[in-house]
Amino acid sequence: MEGVRVRVEGKFLRLGEARFTAKGVTYGPFAAGSDREPFPPHDQVVRDLEQLRELGANVIRVYHVPPRWFLNVALAHGIRVFVDVPWNKHLCFLDDAAARDAAIRAIRDAAERCSGHPAVFALSVVNEIPADIVRWSGARAVSDFIDVLIAEVKTIDPGLLCSFGNFPTTEFLRPRLADFDCWNVYLHQQRPFENYLARLQIIADDRPLVIGEFGIDSLREGEKSQAEILGWQIESAFRGGCAGALCFAFTDEWYRNNEPVADWAFGLVRSDRTPKLAFEVVRRQFHAAPGFPLSRTPKVSVVIASYNGASTLRSCLHSMERLRYPDYEVILVDDGSTDATQSIAAEYPSVRYFRHAMNQGLGVARNTGITAATGEIIAFTDSDCRADGDWLHYLVGDLLNSSFAGIGGHNFLPPDSAATAACVLVSPGGPAHVMLNDRIAEHIPGCNMAFYKWALDSIGGFDPIYRRAGDDVDICWRLQQRGYRIGFSPAGFVWHYRRNTVRAYLKQQSGYGEAEALLERRHPENFNRFGGSIWHGRIYSNAKFGLQTRAPIIYHGLFGSAFFQSIYAERPSLGAILATTLEFHVLVTLPLLVLGSVVPTLRAFGAASALFSVAVCCLAAAQAELPAGQRRWWSRPLVALLFFLQPIVRGWARHRGQLSGQRRTLSDHETLDSLGLEGQEDKLGQLLYWSEQGLDRMRFLGRILERLDQKAWPNRPDAGWSDFDIELYGSRWASLQLTTVGEWHPGRREMIRCRLVARWSFLGRALFWSAAGLQVVLIGAVGHWGAWGLAITLPLLVWWLNGEKRHLTRVTANFLDELAKEFRLVKVTPSQIAKAQARISETRSGTTDGAA
């Protein structure tokens, strides 16, 4: 491997065909020798590197550009060199053209001296820019300058990895061109250290995370504490999915400005190279890293549902054979494929193969896998994915080390993907994870998720109604409704091939639209009035789901002195992106264009509306972050086109599903006449149920929700903020709010009152006001006499919408009556209550008179 260079692969590093985990120490700076280089003499370097090999180190971080002989010696010892390039970062360099030019010259000189040498692990273009300098110049400007420095390196040596040394005080710096994230972290308590690593993994997102410095001053903390803390820090870093960890420092011999530093002692060895207690601890941990054993290794069943996925299936199953986990099985469910899926599966005898005679949908296929699974944990991926070798190790490890019922991870675009797939990657609608905080997820994509089998069994597995998509969203929401939590494992990732043609992408988005219609019926509480899903967490995706219109806000602390200076990014604006939706085109642009033929003044507004939609798509494409190696001249125009087409195709499929889907699944209409409810809607506003034994109202409501779920009747229970108990959804045009109250009477008798308030739905109100507005415009166009012909349409619409309300009220009343019978509740009328209360009053009055 001497001539091979380290490269990035997903969240990790690779050297040749093997994974490369950076385990090392910082080295120097030392006193300048006769050659004016801040490195020890050749013989001392050789002895140090031999000691480092004994330590188990494979990387050293130096703070000056080393001479060529140093790189040669390091390579001979199997050690790579991480080079920090020194330049005067303590000046306001962005205010001074000469200082900027000097920094660029230093970077170019370092790149030329290191160019092509396989011993160079990476180049750090700057280390720890002072926070007040960044605050003075602006975070965006400094980040852009770091990108300029990295770009200079890449022009000289494109294969040389680049990063910069960041630290908590400038956490907000976000250069785009770094190959991996490098952080210096000095936290001595385990929980804060691990929590901050979780935060750094979220910041790093799809890039590897390397801890460039961590260490303990044995002079202040003591050698025993140094050894103990470094031991768990190394283990925590690698269990947390870090691609590397470099301890500060190898030796106590350390110089600043060519003067020895005597009041620090961070070294694993003393200045005379005699080992401290920490040396043996770090040696033991480096030899164990990164594969620290899990607390236990429960059996995992990997379920792959495939329908006509032969083009990528072989790559998927091949990756399953290479998983580095001791106890797992692979279950392939062929959901009625008509391609070569069956013959490809036969090439992998270790795979348990199940075939459906006909296509039954994704939910059914995954349930087949759950039924066949023998593992304690069930992991899911798709046939268009290939898993990283340590995928299960990290998923299971993070699941065992938490109270989560399920867990998910990243899905990355494979480097061998087509340029069209890269455009799809940054276009809207792709699989994304939604994070509530640095560890807890609100949603994990179906191509990379794992759950305890007991958790899936507790909710009855996947809902078979989801044939093409939506099953992963539904399963996450149903688990969370039961009080379970879902986690995120940054290191447990898969490679996910995106659609590589526009036609395939739009077909996928159509399927997603159909799934959204189903999800809205099952989970109306998680959708807004426009049919869009409501997420409480932050969406992490390569695609922009809105436009960035405001700069992030940075907490600097008093006078810029905070140790942790965090960035708080505004959520992307959805206001402008609404102009790309199908609803905007149908309700705004199209009416203006059509009416423009009648009212000329509206024509210009229609054209402006259409141009605004196109402009938003172009701006979204300009903000898209395309993968560097997969950009073509046509990439951004294609992304703009996909931003325009995707909301139309997905929105049409969603509305088609909403209009064709049966919102009300109860078939009770036939029984209404026999019950005598027809024509008595006004009396159904309040229902009264009497119990001689008393009944807990919460139990009654719980049973209502249970029966509603059994009947797949869409509903939204109170989350603590509403003045009703349950909102039920009937047709697309009406909803009903149910409120209950319990009255206790003597002898533990109870009256449960149910108030039924039916309303027009948002879509019903929108239809009414749209019709009213259109009528006003048309009356102005056709004149006074035409107004009489149009005036009748609005009352007819009101009559029809009120009929939807009446029907929903009758069906709900019948549903409650049937449920009340289960609890032996007696339905009573207000007049019966009034008579009973009168009798009670008379009885009490008689008793009082007699006593007197």
Side-chain angles (χ1 to χ4, degrees), residues 181-427:
D181 276 24
C182 177
W183 289 81
N184 305 333
V185 181
Y186 291 88
L187 292 171
H188 297 175
Q189 286 76 43
Q190 186 168 359
R191 182 56 63 86
F193 181 81
E194 292 175 347
N195 288 343
Y196 196 63
L197 288 189
R199 176 171 179 77
L200 294 183
Q201 286 284 18
I202 294 296
I203 293 172
D205 195 21
D206 59 353
R207 291 195 292 256
L209 173 64
V210 173
I211 306 303
E213 289 182 10
F214 67 99
I216 308 296
D217 180 10
S218 64
L219 197 63
R220 292 169 176 79
E221 303 287 341
E223 291 192 10
K224 184 177 180 181
S225 292
Q226 180 194 33
E228 178 185 346
I229 295 172
L230 289 178
W232 61 252
Q233 282 184 331
I234 294 171
E235 183 169 349
S236 295
F238 288 114
R239 285 192 186 277
C242 289
L246 281 68
C247 179
F248 186 93
F250 169 60
T251 174
D252 286 343
E253 184 185 355
W254 198 78
Y255 283 73
R256 173 182 288 172
N257 298 324
N258 216 33
E259 294 291 332
V261 176
D263 59 344
W264 285 357
F266 279 81
L268 301 179
V269 299
R270 302 174 183 85
S271 297
D272 62 0
R273 303 323 193 247
T274 56
K276 300 180 185 176
L277 293 174
F279 185 91
E280 175 57 29
V281 172
V282 171
R283 186 194 70 79
R284 185 174 63 249
Q285 296 296 73
F286 274 178
H287 280 85
F292 288 98
L294 303 179
S295 58
R296 62 189 186 92
T297 54
K299 185 175 183 178
V300 179
S301 297
V302 179
V303 174
I304 304 167
S306 179
Y307 175 63
N308 288 340
S311 61
T312 54
L313 181 59
R314 187 173 282 107
S315 173
C316 174
L317 296 181
H318 183 64
S319 72
M320 294 295 113
E321 291 185 327
R322 300 165 66 92
L323 294 177
R324 291 181 284 272
Y325 188 81
D327 190 8
Y328 71 98
E329 63 177 353
V330 179
I331 299 171
L332 174 62
V333 181
D334 180 355
D335 191 27
S337 299
T338 57
D339 59 5
T341 294
Q342 188 169 9
S343 60
I344 293 174
E347 300 173 13
Y348 299 87
S350 62
V351 173
R352 298 179 60 198
Y353 176 74
F354 297 86
R355 176 175 172 80
H356 292 165
M358 58 184 296
N359 179 250
Q360 300 182 51
L362 189 56
V364 173
R366 285 182 164 160
N367 283 339
T368 298
I370 294 173
T371 302
T374 60
E376 178 183 344
I377 296 170
I378 303 179
F380 298 91
T381 190
D382 295 334
S383 59
D384 58 356
C385 296
R386 53 184 174 88
D388 176 70
D390 292 318
W391 174 51
L392 291 183
H393 176 85
Y394 285 108
L395 284 187
V396 173
D398 288 338
L399 193 58
L400 294 177
N401 194 34
S402 67
S403 58
F404 300 136
I407 200 160
H410 290 285
N411 64 101
F412 297 142
L413 181 72
D416 57 343
S417 296
T420 306
C423 295
V424 169
L425 173 73
V426 298
S427 297

Side-chain angles (χ1 to χ4, degrees), residues 488-759:
F488 187 78
S489 174
F493 71 91
V494 300
W495 300 100
H496 184 199
Y497 288 95
R498 266 60 173 186
R499 303 300 190 268
N500 56 12
T501 67
V502 174
R503 181 185 180 89
Y505 167 70
L506 294 179
K507 183 179 179 181
Q508 178 195 49
Q509 295 305 308
S510 178
Y512 287 169
E514 293 174 6
E516 282 180 325
L518 297 173
L519 284 166
E520 187 182 1
R521 293 201 291 273
R522 289 289 198 261
H523 305 276
E525 72 277 10
N526 290 329
F527 286 82
N528 60 30
R529 292 178 173 180
F530 298 97
S533 54
I534 299 173
W535 297 109
H536 303 287
R538 185 176 182 85
I539 301 174
Y540 286 84
S541 170
N542 295 92
K544 305 292 184 184
F545 62 97
L547 294 180
Q548 204 70 50
T549 57
R550 292 184 58 185
I553 301 172
I554 300 171
Y555 173 76
H556 293 287
L558 182 63
F559 309 134
S561 61
F563 181 67
F564 289 88
Q565 297 191 15
S566 302
I567 186 169
Y568 299 90
E570 286 286 326
R571 289 177 178 265
S573 172
L574 295 177
I577 213 73
L578 289 176
T580 67
T581 61
L582 176 65
E583 294 83 356
F584 182 86
H585 298 318
V586 171
L587 298 178
V588 180
T589 304
L590 187 59
L592 288 173
L593 291 174
V594 171
L595 294 174
S597 61
V598 180
V599 185
T601 55
L602 296 178
R603 196 175 303 157
F605 289 102
S609 177
L611 288 174
F612 179 69
S613 298
V614 173
V616 169
C617 295
C618 293
L619 183 57
Q623 292 184 353
E625 297 180 5
L626 287 156
Q630 293 166 310
R631 299 172 186 166
R632 305 292 185 269
W633 65 267
W634 44 263
S635 294
R636 293 196 187 278
L638 177 57
V639 172
L641 177 64
L642 297 181
F643 261 92
F644 184 81
L645 294 177
Q646 186 267 354
I648 297 174
V649 171
R650 188 162 175 168
W652 170 251
R654 182 177 68 250
H655 288 301
R656 186 179 64 223
Q658 290 169 337
L659 294 173
S660 63
Q662 188 69 19
R663 294 276 301 201
R664 183 190 60 253
T665 58
L666 300 181
S667 57
D668 298 320
H669 196 175
E670 300 87 355
T671 66
L672 295 178
D673 293 335
S674 62
L675 289 171
L677 297 179
E678 194 73 47
Q680 300 185 29
E681 294 81 10
D682 294 338
K683 300 179 181 179
L684 299 179
Q686 187 174 142
L687 304 178
L688 308 177
Y689 299 106
W690 178 263
S691 172
E692 288 289 332
Q693 295 81 26
L695 174 67
D696 183 7
R697 184 177 68 92
M698 300 301 291
R699 182 184 168 203
F700 184 60
L701 285 170
R703 183 59 176 158
I704 290 175
L705 290 173
E706 183 180 338
R707 288 293 301 277
L708 289 173
D709 289 343
Q710 289 175 355
K711 293 178 175 290
W713 190 346
N715 65 88
R716 178 167 68 96
D718 172 34
W721 303 94
S722 306
D723 53 5
F724 58 84
D725 295 323
I726 306 170
E727 186 168 19
L728 297 92
Y729 298 86
S731 67
R732 294 301 306 168
W733 315 106
S735 63
L736 182 143
Q737 293 179 351
L738 169 66
T739 308
T740 64
V741 65
E743 295 181 347
W744 288 97
H745 294 267
R748 295 194 58 79
R749 300 178 178 89
E750 184 183 9
M751 174 74 71
I752 294 182
R753 295 177 180 263
C754 299
R755 180 191 298 145
L756 280 62
V757 180
R759 305 168 182 265

Side-chain angles (χ1 to χ4, degrees), residues 55 60 135 147 195 349 472 526 558 579 593 624 712 775 822 824:
L55 184 69
I60 56 173
R135 180 168 172 260
D147 278 333
N195 288 343
D472 51 353
N526 290 329
L558 182 63
L593 291 174
Q775 183 168 309
E822 295 183 16
R824 297 182 180 179

